[in-house]
């Protein structure tokens, strides 16, 4: 029997959970919790937008769209622009043209045609190049910078850096090295900074509102978004708060225990540069031996300069294809002239200077 393309129906759920052991996790229960959180409880879409390929009635490929709501500058206007993700093909069915069929099947859905643009923030290398062939445009690479552990930063030879990374995967070595890193950084934390394992959605949203929206395209950052987003079953977050009379800053770290970039700064807000610096120092102390990374493509220059001053530098992409750089991509309604500039609220959607992006906007984080 050949392949059949279908839209999501609850009867395919178990097949999706099994398929996603190739992407999400090997744990069926954890995958079920993640599906419920991401698609059933998404605050922006009432029904899942998921596209499947069946073979002998078994789910062998998937591409999903999850809801995301974006502010259009400082005006307060907002728009729903779904984001593509969870693109997975069973290893036994790869290299058979299923990606292209999935892409086109999704775009032909009348439920998708109502959105002027779709976004892609977590495309791996294969999906990235497949999307470009289908007419997607790159808005910007993320330009990740990394503050690597001292043992890695101080080693100019790649074999030594790789050895240090393997060492970091051993729990006892990582614990001892983290203690040493923290000891070197002791005394740098201000009493205003507090570390926590719990989000504070109301206080975080209030600080964002106090600071005002940038005149950029940025994800809605209200209480409902934070309360939902930080419940991701696949993520392990740590929170850094700068507490004065009111909350003056927050920084959210996603911890990745067995990677050289053991933490990503996925979200942050600071009342001023001094608060941001204090939180960065606290985050570096909290991570200890592990590295810490952040996107800089849409950061203001003052923040980039601060990161460089604290030892952040462009991430080392050993072994990566030099033509692939993790990026945000977009595609438009098929009726839009592909040769024209793609505009949203009188601004070019493909100009990264019109965006304010955080790692939290991507389902990869």
């Amino acid at each position: 029997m050949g392949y059949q393309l279908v839209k999501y129906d609850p009867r395919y759920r178990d097949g999706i959970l099994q398929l996603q052991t190739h992407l999400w996790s090997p744990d069926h229960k954890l995958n079920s919790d993640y599906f419920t959180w991401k698609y059933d409880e998404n605050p922006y879409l009432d029904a899942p937008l998921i596209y499947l390929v069946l073979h002998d009635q078994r789910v062998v490929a998937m591409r999903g769209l999850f809801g995301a709501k974006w502010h259009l500058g400082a005006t307060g206007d907002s728009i729903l622009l779904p984001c593509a993700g969870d693109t997975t093909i069973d290893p036994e069915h790869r290299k058979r043209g299923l990606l292209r069929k999935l892409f086109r099947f999704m775009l032909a859905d009348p439920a998708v045609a109502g959105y002027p643009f779709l976004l892609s923030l977590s495309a791996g290398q294969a999906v990235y190049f497949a999307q470009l062939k289908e007419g997607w445009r790159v808005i910007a690479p993320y330009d990740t910078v990394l503050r690597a552990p001292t043992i890695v930063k101080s080693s100019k030879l790649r074999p030594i850096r790789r050895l240090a990374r393997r060492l970091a995967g051993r729990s006892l070595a990582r614990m001892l090295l983290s203690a040493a890193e923290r000891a070197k950084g002791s005394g740098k934390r201000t009493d205003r900074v507090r570390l926590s394992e719990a989000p504070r959605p109301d206080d975080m949203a209030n600080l964002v509102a106090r600071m005002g929206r940038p005149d950029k395209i940025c994800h809605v950052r209200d209480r409902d978004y934070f309360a939902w987003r930080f419940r991701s079953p696949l993520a392990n977050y740590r929170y850094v708060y700068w507490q004065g009379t009111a909350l003056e800053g927050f920084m959210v770290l996603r911890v990745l225990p067995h990677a050289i970039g053991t933490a990503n700064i996925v979200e942050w807000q600071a009342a001023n540069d001094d608060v941001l610096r204090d939180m960065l120092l606290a985050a570096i102390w909290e991570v200890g031996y592990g590295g810490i990374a952040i996107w800089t493509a849409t950061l203001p220059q003052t923040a980039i300069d601060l990161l460089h001053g604290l030892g952040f530098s462009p991430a080392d992409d050993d072994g990566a294809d030099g033509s692939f750089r993790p990026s945000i991509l977009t595609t438009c309604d098929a009726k839009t002239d592909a040769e024209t500039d793609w505009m949203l609220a009188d601004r070019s959607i493909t100009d990264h200077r019109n965006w304010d992006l955080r790692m939290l906007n991507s389902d990869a984080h």
Side-chain angles (χ1 to χ4, degrees):
M1 180 181 289
Y3 294 107
Q4 180 185 6
L5 287 98
V6 299
K7 289 186 64 175
Y8 173 74
D9 184 276
R11 70 179 180 271
Y12 301 128
R13 181 182 173 116
D14 284 344
I16 291 173
L17 302 183
Q18 179 58 41
L19 173 69
Q20 289 296 351
T21 59
H22 298 292
L23 179 65
W24 294 346
S25 86
D27 187 321
H28 193 277
K29 173 62 166 60
L30 184 58
N31 290 348
S32 179
D33 292 344
Y34 185 69
F35 183 98
T36 297
W37 166 79
K38 188 172 188 177
Y39 291 102
D40 294 335
E41 298 176 353
N42 185 281
Y44 307 115
L45 288 178
D46 294 330
L49 291 175
I50 299 173
Y51 305 87
L52 307 171
V53 178
L54 307 182
H55 185 265
D56 291 339
Q57 294 304 303
R58 184 170 70 91
V59 177
V60 298
M62 168 184 166
R63 183 165 173 84
L65 288 172
F66 64 94
K69 193 174 184 181
W70 304 83
H71 281 305
L72 303 177
T75 64
D77 295 334
S78 60
I79 189 171
L80 181 62
L81 299 178
C83 300
D86 303 319
T87 307
T88 315
I89 298 177
D90 186 295
E92 295 181 3
H93 297 269
R94 293 174 184 173
K95 298 183 179 180
R96 302 187 186 185
L98 297 184
L99 267 182
R100 183 181 68 254
K101 292 178 180 178
L102 266 177
F103 291 169
R104 295 179 180 180
F105 181 60
M106 180 186 75
L107 291 176
D109 182 6
V112 172
Y115 301 111
F117 297 97
L118 303 177
L119 301 174
S120 172
L121 294 98
S122 57
Q125 186 167 321
V127 174
Y128 173 92
F129 287 118
Q131 288 180 152
L132 292 184
K133 290 180 180 178
E134 291 297 305
W136 288 64
R137 297 183 184 180
V138 175
I139 294 174
Y142 294 131
D143 291 344
T144 302
V145 296
L146 170 69
R147 187 184 188 278
T150 302
I151 190 172
V152 176
K153 288 194 299 181
S154 61
S155 301
K156 296 182 179 180
L157 298 177
R158 285 189 178 185
I160 295 178
R161 293 203 302 269
R162 288 171 180 160
L163 176 62
R165 292 174 182 182
R166 287 197 295 270
L167 184 64
R170 300 180 181 179
S171 58
L172 178 59
R174 189 170 61 248
M175 180 178 66
L176 294 174
L177 289 166
S178 292
E181 290 283 332
R182 287 173 174 172
K184 288 198 309 178
S186 61
K188 293 182 179 180
R189 292 175 54 197
T190 171
D191 291 339
R192 298 282 190 177
V193 173
R194 303 172 185 177
L195 304 174
S196 175
E197 296 186 2
R200 294 164 53 181
D202 291 290
D203 292 338
M204 296 161 91
N206 287 339
L207 174 59
V208 169
R210 266 186 15 235
M211 296 297 297
R213 282 186 295 272
D215 192 23
K216 308 274 188 181
I217 303 170
C218 60
H219 199 284
V220 167
R221 302 164 74 213
D222 57 16
R223 190 264 173 204
D224 290 342
Y225 170 65
F226 287 141
W228 169 75
R229 189 63 181 82
F230 294 131
R231 293 202 311 269
S232 171
L234 293 185
N236 185 12
Y237 296 120
R238 295 290 184 271
Y239 304 87
V240 181
Y241 299 115
W242 202 104
Q243 185 67 50
T245 305
L247 187 68
E248 298 295 332
F250 64 83
M251 183 171 288
V252 184
L253 309 176
R254 185 183 180 187
V255 180
L256 304 172
H258 299 297
I260 190 62
T262 42
N264 289 317
I265 300 173
V266 299
E267 178 61 283
W268 63 275
Q269 185 70 57
N272 55 57
D273 288 342
D274 289 337
V275 170
L276 178 57
R277 180 182 176 82
D278 285 346
M279 293 191 299
L280 283 168
L281 289 171
I284 292 168
W285 185 93
E286 171 69 6
V287 170
Y289 171 75
I292 186 167
I294 186 173
W295 290 349
T296 61
T298 64
L299 283 183
Q301 189 60 49
T302 54
I304 295 174
D305 292 342
L306 175 56
L307 290 166
H308 289 164
L310 291 176
F312 286 77
S313 59
D316 185 355
D317 293 324
D318 284 352
D321 182 340
S323 63
F324 167 64
R325 297 174 65 192
S327 305
I328 177 174
L329 299 94
T330 186
T331 191
C332 67
D333 187 304
K335 297 186 292 294
T336 302
D337 183 355
E339 298 302 319
T340 63
D341 198 5
W342 293 353
M343 304 297 292
L344 184 65
D346 297 325
R347 64 191 72 201
S348 171
I349 195 173
T350 56
D351 186 343
H352 77 279
R353 293 170 296 183
N354 291 327
W355 289 82
D356 179 15
L357 295 172
R358 316 294 169 98
M359 283 189 181
L360 199 68
N361 303 152
S362 169
D363 59 332
H365 301 287

